[in-house]
């Protein structure tokens, strides 16, 4: 692919010498080549050429320039390019709003959307779905409802992109009733629509409802994706339904996601939370590569079941493989040391976390140590430890101390 892009950029240079006038098609093609090569230098050269030939304001060229800067330079470069062209094309506005929303720069997305509205341009389905995504990122239900009303007024509510974005907004704001209402109104619901409902139920703790929607999705039929399987497995874990985990696992094995890392991580987590740590370990050992999430999933699985030795063995193996532990890894290990009464090992690990791994303790880590000392009956040491916490101890820390056995 890169070879073809290099050839394309070379042909463009030769074309510049042989032909007096470059057309927009050539400019957009070579800008795609710049993206393929991740060459912002080439992209800037094409930008200069487009300015000289007066094609920089041509919508297709401008769109390609924004895309190139976003993928090779950064959003700031894309914004500079956007500010240099006439602002009479809603597609370009939509592109910039989308960039900001996808980068979680929601304030800038809102600012641009308001400017677009004040310029008398009518939002299209892409600008509406992008600004709704920004609302969902926050999440801002009131503002999202206002944009929903605006979408109804201009007749875009039934557009698939807008409908999916509205469903996501309401789901993230824990309003599954409104999300379902939008879903029911869609004429051409796709896998994203189904996934949004499943994810919404799973994240809201309604595992049984998520599983019901998954069954309806399969009967529709709509194709299951990585998001589908990982979200359904999360729902299985929340209901501690080992039968459902097994059924979903069978479906995964028959699908193209049978070696997908994200799905296999979800299987590890689900089997562990349903009490089948051996099955979780089997999935872990069959993975081609173990990322940090994979290690944390299996270590946390052993920790939840009180298997301190196996959790520590995996932690040591993880370090030997050059995987850097994070705060989640240490919460799992400190928790299992606390539940199994391994005080000296827990205190040693806590110090190692700070000194050897460079991880600043969070309130969750402090809570683990207070629980560790409290369960061992070392209430005075626990109180002294609370006094050494740099910031004000949370209610959880004090609660753990108060519940410690006397």
């Amino acid at each position: 692919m890169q070879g073809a892009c290099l050839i394309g950029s070379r042909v463009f240079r030769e074309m510049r010498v042989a032909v007096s006038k470059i057309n927009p098609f050539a400019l957009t093609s070579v800008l795609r080549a710049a993206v393929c090569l991740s060459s912002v230098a080439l992209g800037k050269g094409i930008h200069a050429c487009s300015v000289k030939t007066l094609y920089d304001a041509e919508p297709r060229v401008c769109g390609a320039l924004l895309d190139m800067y976003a993928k090779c330079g950064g959003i700031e470069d894309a914004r500079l390019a956007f500010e240099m062209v006439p602002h009479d094309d809603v597609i370009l506005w939509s592109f910039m709003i989308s960039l900001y929303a996808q980068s979680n720069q929601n304030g800038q997305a809102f600012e641009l959307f308001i400017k677009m509205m004040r310029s008398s341009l009518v939002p299209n389905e892409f600008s509406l779905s992008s600004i709704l995504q920004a609302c969902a990122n926050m999440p801002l239900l009131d503002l999202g409802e206002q944009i929903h009303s605006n979408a109804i007024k201009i007749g875009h509510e039934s557009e698939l992109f807008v409908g999916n974005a509205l469903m996501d907004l309401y789901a993230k704001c824990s309003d599954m009733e409104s999300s379902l209402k939008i879903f029911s109104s869609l004429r051409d619901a796709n896998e994203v629509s189904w996934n949004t409902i499943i994810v919404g139920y799973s994240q809201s703790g309604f595992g049984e409802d998520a599983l019901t929607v998954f069954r309806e999705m399969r009967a529709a039929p709509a194709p299951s994706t990585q998001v589908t399987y990982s979200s359904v497995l999360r729902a299985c874990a929340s209901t501690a339904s080992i039968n459902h985990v097994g059924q979903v696992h069978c479906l995964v094995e028959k699908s193209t996601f049978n070696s997908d890392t994200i799905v296999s991580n979800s299987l590890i987590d689900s089997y562990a939370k349903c009490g089948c740590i051996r099955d979780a370990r089997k999935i872990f050992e069959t993975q081609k590569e173990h990322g940090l999430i994979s290690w944390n999933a299996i270590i946390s699985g052993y920790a939840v079941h009180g298997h301190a030795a196996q959790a520590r063995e995996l932690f040591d193996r993880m370090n030997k493989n050059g995987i850097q532990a994070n705060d989640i890894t240490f919460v799992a290990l400190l928790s299992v040391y606390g539940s199994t009464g391994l005080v000296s090992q827990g205190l040693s690990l806590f110090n190692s976390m700070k000194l050897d791994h460079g991880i600043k303790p969070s309130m969750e880590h402090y809570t683990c140590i207070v629980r560790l000392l409290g369960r061992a009956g070392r209430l005075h040491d626990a109180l002294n430890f609370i006094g050494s916490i740099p910031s004000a101890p949370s209610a959880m820390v004090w609660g753990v101390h108060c519940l410690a056995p006397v």
Side-chain angles (χ1 to χ4, degrees):
M1 182 67 177
Q2 280 209 340
C5 293
L6 284 168
I7 293 170
S9 62
R10 193 179 305 121
V11 168
F12 179 79
R13 283 194 291 270
E14 293 171 358
M15 183 179 173
R16 285 279 293 140
V17 175
V19 181
S20 60
K21 189 74 171 175
I22 298 295
N23 59 45
F25 177 78
L27 290 167
T28 55
S29 297
V30 79
L31 281 167
R32 284 195 292 271
V35 170
C36 174
L37 296 167
S38 298
S39 174
V40 71
L42 175 61
K44 286 183 176 179
I46 307 306
H47 190 177
C49 180
S50 68
V51 172
K52 288 178 183 177
T53 55
L54 304 178
Y55 282 129
D56 59 314
E58 203 275 336
R60 288 170 297 173
V61 175
C62 188
L65 281 168
L66 294 184
D67 184 57
M68 182 278 298
Y69 278 121
K71 291 175 180 175
C72 300
I75 294 181
E76 294 78 13
D77 290 326
R79 179 65 181 267
L80 286 172
F82 173 77
E83 295 296 348
M84 291 170 65
V85 299
H87 293 164
D88 55 0
D89 190 339
V90 69
I91 295 174
L92 299 181
W93 284 92
S94 301
F95 186 91
M96 279 306 307
I97 293 168
S98 174
L99 279 180
Y100 280 129
Q102 289 173 8
S103 303
N104 210 24
Q105 297 185 36
N106 306 302
Q108 290 89 335
F110 294 138
E111 171 221 334
L112 265 189
F113 185 77
I114 291 168
K115 280 186 177 180
M116 183 184 76
M117 295 289 285
R118 287 175 178 169
S119 69
S120 299
L121 281 174
V122 178
N124 62 9
E125 62 267 36
F126 303 112
S127 50
L128 286 169
S129 60
S130 296
I131 200 63
L132 284 166
Q133 181 184 347
C135 292
N137 291 340
M138 301 296 285
L140 292 173
L141 181 58
D142 290 345
L143 182 56
E145 287 176 332
Q146 292 176 38
I147 294 167
H148 186 179
S149 297
N150 187 270
I152 293 171
K153 287 177 184 176
I154 57 180
H156 284 312
E157 184 195 23
S158 59
E159 295 284 349
L160 185 59
F161 284 111
V162 177
N164 286 343
L166 282 167
M167 287 162 53
D168 184 52
L169 167 71
Y170 286 121
K172 285 179 177 173
C173 293
S174 302
D175 186 355
M176 288 305 299
E177 184 179 346
S178 295
S179 191
L180 274 172
K181 187 177 179 181
I182 299 292
F183 178 73
S184 300
S185 70
L186 292 178
R187 295 188 302 272
D188 50 355
N190 61 6
E191 64 272 20
V192 175
S193 315
W194 287 96
N195 286 343
T196 301
I197 296 297
I198 292 171
V199 171
Y201 274 133
S202 296
Q203 293 182 343
S204 300
F206 301 115
E208 291 290 351
D209 292 308
L211 291 170
T212 299
V213 174
F214 176 61
R215 285 190 286 270
E216 292 173 357
M217 178 182 183
R218 293 195 66 233
S224 296
T225 66
Q226 181 193 76
V227 174
T228 313
Y229 288 123
S230 58
S231 299
V232 167
L233 285 165
R234 177 176 179 171
C236 294
S238 71
T239 60
S241 174
I242 187 59
N243 289 334
H244 285 136
V245 174
Q247 290 169 17
V248 175
H249 189 181
C250 288
L251 292 173
V252 169
E253 287 300 316
K254 296 174 185 176
S255 74
T256 56
F257 298 98
N258 54 8
S259 59
D260 183 88
T261 303
I262 291 176
V263 174
S264 62
N265 287 341
S266 298
L267 280 166
I268 293 168
D269 182 61
S270 299
Y271 273 123
K273 286 178 177 174
C274 290
C276 297
I277 192 65
R278 288 184 181 178
D279 290 314
R281 182 64 176 265
K282 192 182 295 183
I283 298 292
F284 176 79
E285 297 297 352
T286 58
Q287 285 184 316
K288 293 178 181 177
E289 292 182 3
H290 302 314
L292 176 60
I293 294 175
S294 308
W295 286 103
N296 280 347
I298 193 64
I299 290 171
S300 297
Y302 276 109
V304 165
H305 293 286
H307 300 310
Q310 290 92 330
R312 182 61 198 232
E313 174 256 320
L314 283 163
F315 174 69
D316 292 337
R317 184 176 146 194
M318 171 184 170
N319 285 328
K320 286 179 182 176
N321 286 349
I323 304 296
Q324 179 63 49
N326 66 0
D327 56 332
I328 296 171
T329 319
F330 285 100
V331 166
L333 289 166
L334 291 171
S335 296
V336 73
Y337 282 153
S339 64
T340 54
L342 300 174
V343 178
S344 60
Q345 292 94 323
L347 293 173
S348 174
L349 183 72
F350 180 75
N351 290 326
S352 175
M353 178 186 78
K354 295 186 293 181
L355 301 175
D356 301 329
H357 296 269
I359 294 176
K360 183 180 179 181
S362 68
M363 203 57 67
E364 201 167 359
H365 297 116
Y366 290 127
T367 302
C368 288
I369 295 299
V370 173
R371 184 182 289 111
L372 174 81
L373 294 169
R375 285 183 173 178
R378 294 169 56 173
L379 300 183
H380 184 68
D381 290 336
L383 195 58
N384 287 337
F385 180 81
I386 292 172
S388 72
I389 296 176
S391 55
S394 67
M396 180 64 74
V397 171
W398 287 112
V400 166
H401 183 262
C402 292
L403 291 172
V406 179

